[in-house]
Amino acid sequence: MNNYETIAAYYTLHRDEIVGFVAMRIGNADEAQDLVQDVFVRLLRSDKLISSTTLPALVFTMARNVVIDWFRRHRVLEEYEHYIVGSGDRNESMESVISARELMERMERTLARLAPECGEAYRLHIYDGMQVGQIAKEMQQPYRAVEYRIGQARRAVRAALSRAV
């Protein structure tokens, strides 16, 4: 069985279980389905050797990481929403919140197009406020490689957001 067949068979048998795992953590079944789909798309794009023995642990690890990323994105957005709502005119505030959501979505789409390591390093740096050295240790990557990846992600996000504004 090749990777595609192994992943497809696992998806068919365990999709609902994984969606439940994610939905229970984020509290939104529709978004959970989207996140689980992202997990399996990443698996299908992966060039790593995947076996039926390692796949369950890999899927749940990836699902857990996707949930963590989801919370990071929503925490930043909620902080911005609270700042905007508390800082002025209600109509202007709602427009700002909608704009912030659109910009966050555009940023996440841009990061999704980059190599996974670039997106992960950028998210750790921006959402968690981690320094490059800390990110390098967590990702078990050389300092210069992490610095380069964050730079790539910054350039891509800056270009995407400048087109939006």
Side-chain angles (χ1 to χ4, degrees), residues 53-115:
T53 307
T54 60
L55 187 57
L58 183 59
V59 167
F60 279 97
T61 299
M62 290 177 75
R64 186 188 76 230
N65 290 339
V66 165
V67 168
I68 291 168
D69 288 345
W70 185 89
F71 276 111
R72 285 180 188 148
R73 283 192 308 273
H74 284 78
R75 183 192 70 203
V76 169
L77 189 57
E78 284 177 9
E79 288 173 3
Y80 182 72
E81 286 175 351
H82 290 300
Y83 167 76
I84 293 296
V85 169
S87 68
D89 181 29
R90 184 74 178 157
N91 292 332
E92 181 180 325
S93 297
M94 292 313 294
E95 290 172 8
S96 295
V97 168
I98 291 168
S99 293
R101 284 184 190 275
E102 290 171 356
L103 291 175
M104 289 287 286
E105 288 171 6
R106 183 176 291 259
M107 183 177 77
E108 284 302 321
R109 282 194 305 270
T110 301
L111 292 174
R113 283 188 231 115
L114 298 174

Side-chain angles (χ1 to χ4, degrees), residues 116-130:
E117 297 85 11
C118 289
E120 180 182 359
Y122 185 81
R123 286 180 187 101
L124 290 172
H125 186 64
I126 297 299
Y127 297 141
D128 290 350
M130 293 175 70

